[in-house]
Amino acid sequence: MKRLTKYAGVALIVLGVLAPFIPILIWSFARRWYFPAVLPTEWSIRGWAYAFSSASRLPQALWQSLLISGVTSLLSILIGLPAGRALGLHKFRGKTLVEFLMLAPTIVPAFAVAMGIHVVFIRLGLADTMIGVILVHLVPTLPYVTLVLAGMFANYDVNYEAQARSLGATPLQTIWYVLLPSIYPGLIVAGMFAFIISWSQYILTLLIGGGRVLTLPLLLFSFASSGDNNVTAALSIIFIAPAIVLLIISARYLTGRNVSLARGN
Amino acid sequence: MKKNIYLLAIVGLFTIVLSACGGATETSTEVDFSDWDAVVAAADGQTVNWFMWGGADNINAWVNGSIADTLKSEYNVTLNMVPINDTAEAVNKVLGEKEAGQDDNGSVDMVWINGENFRTMRQGDLLFGNWSATLPNYAFVDANDPSVLNDFGYPVDGYESPYGKAQFVMIYDTADVEAAPATITDLVEWIKANPGKFTYPAVPDFTGSAFIRHVCYDATGGYEQFLGEFDQALFDEKFGACWDLLNEIEPFLWREGEYPESDARMKELLANGEVHFDMDYNPGSAGNLIEDGVYPETVRTFVFETGTLANTHFVGIPYNSPNKAAAMVLANVLLSPEAQLEKADPAVWGDLPVLNPALLSEADAAAFDALPRHPATLSTAELAAARLPELQAPWVEAIEQGWIENVLEK
């Protein structure tokens, strides 16, 4: 019975998450669909045909989006892990200030700083390059990654590391066998946050990438604003798909059941 | 010791970054841009980054297909079309580069441009100049056509090359509107007799702004008096009548006076049957939208007896483009009779050509005549007979601002 309720709950959540996409899915196949018709009066695959034609440059955009978001997530974790550890485990002077500075990019609109960053990046030769875009994507992703990992470390008992070391583990072995297994649900969540935030950047990519770096949002937004629902819907689904796949793959890590070394477990 | 390693790592990183940007600046050899053969030779192997509005799949498909193929096979030039939402994004980018001192290795090689954006770029010295007459295919353009020599009243002076023409048309659904209003006065009468079935996009929408100008041309007693430089006193004196007229019809508009925020939203309203009129700067767009299934088959277009605004759109080359030769080759391809003919085909795009048929070979001219025309699209002759010139950008800005202050916020 308990199991049944649980499955019903999961089904409801899945439905709640997927329901908004049903109209988009229908739009992507609709030729004429206007009020008050419940379903499109005419169907067409024009949107999909365009998305997969060479004219749409979808493969290039998809590849560059994946690469940028992938590398951004990895870098965010590499930078966010030590920061999160320090914030989660230690008390030090000015910690509140550091936390505030970490959060600042989520409060200040990225666009406000992006103009300045753009000028600096032009001078450094980073404008219009993929490296530049990845670096600027770190601005909005890092606060989330650091905070998620800080939360993870708040429940982490550092004594296990001392125990491992006293049993003869090298520092690398300690990281590999003790630290990483205990925080990896946090790593997955943080990585997903970073990926999805980077995946949906438009203005930062456009400004720093200068259009030479072509990502999916760039393709999508130029259609969304033109009112072409057919193509926009098809591109939207392609845009959303990786996020959903990621969510499904990582869903089992999100329960926290595998955290065996957390304090109080 | 540990700290030293970090320091070393940071210094190392910076060295890599700095050396990377050192390598990025390459010295381009001087090209004589007035010598076409030299331009074509210099373009060989270059990539041209063309920033253009990317919201229409048919235009994107044509540019990335036919035009990109021609560039590659005939000139070994690679086309990188950069889709943008708003041309101002590209203008700001060039401006940002200029401010950062990036004067010879900019990222924009070509922009699709006209009107206000052209004026902004000219006034900011952001455009490469005096090249368009060098293009061999410029010979097919009527060199005395005022709409090619001026862009919204601003002299072109060879700083951009014509690409296509646009003329404002009104769109209506014959299923709901018996006869197309012949004049603005007739339209006003219709609006009052059919509350809720008409509206126009709010500025800064390009199309909505143009509709307001049509009403003002009519209400102020003719556009001729506004053709020169902007005159604040004249503006204040004359435009009150226009705001009065627009305020008079406001309660009879869609939802008792709502303005959709964009032309795209406006199209949805007509498609939904919420309003019975629409408007567009491309005379062929209604036909295309019927073909795409967006508009019902009963939709047709018309122009006012007093005429509708016509303008030309162009392509320009930023002053700091490192691939000017390739951009010129692209502009020349866009001006070729073949490309202009393809572009004019409603199945491809349906954009009005900029070439003068009298200057073309007989075969080419005949091909233009033979182009299929959607029943909703007016003939070239009907359009040509109803052309009104655009005002200079400061007038347009003042009218937009005036509309916001006197109509929208009243």
Side-chain angles (χ1 to χ4, degrees), chain B residues 231-306:
Chain B
D231 179 346
Q232 185 71 47
L234 186 64
F235 178 80
D236 293 340
E237 181 198 330
K238 296 283 181 178
F239 275 76
C242 183
W243 313 139
D244 289 346
L245 183 58
L246 289 167
N247 280 321
E248 194 184 314
I249 61 169
E250 193 177 65
F252 301 98
L253 297 183
W254 175 63
R255 292 189 184 161
E256 297 174 359
E258 290 272 322
Y259 302 98
E261 79 284 4
S262 69
D263 173 46
R265 181 85 186 94
M266 187 75 199
K267 302 239 164 312
E268 280 178 30
L269 292 182
L270 177 64
N272 275 332
E274 284 188 69
V275 300
H276 298 328
F277 283 89
D278 185 18
M279 48 204 80
D280 205 291
Y281 249 119
N282 176 356
S285 106
N288 284 342
L289 288 167
I290 294 171
E291 288 297 303
D292 283 351
V294 177
Y295 282 164
E297 301 282 345
T298 45
V299 161
R300 292 293 177 270
T301 59
F302 68 97
V303 288
F304 295 118
E305 271 172 12
T306 42

Side-chain angles (χ1 to χ4, degrees), chain B residues 62-81:
Chain B
W62 176 66
V63 165
N64 283 320
S66 173
I67 295 300
D69 293 346
T70 307
L71 276 178
K72 192 78 208 168
S73 62
E74 286 181 25
Y75 300 97
N76 188 29
V77 167
T78 308
L79 174 66
N80 177 32
M81 173 240 176

Side-chain angles (χ1 to χ4, degrees), chain B residues 349-360:
Chain B
W349 174 0
D351 190 42
L352 294 178
V354 285
L355 306 183
N356 183 349
L359 300 172
L360 294 173

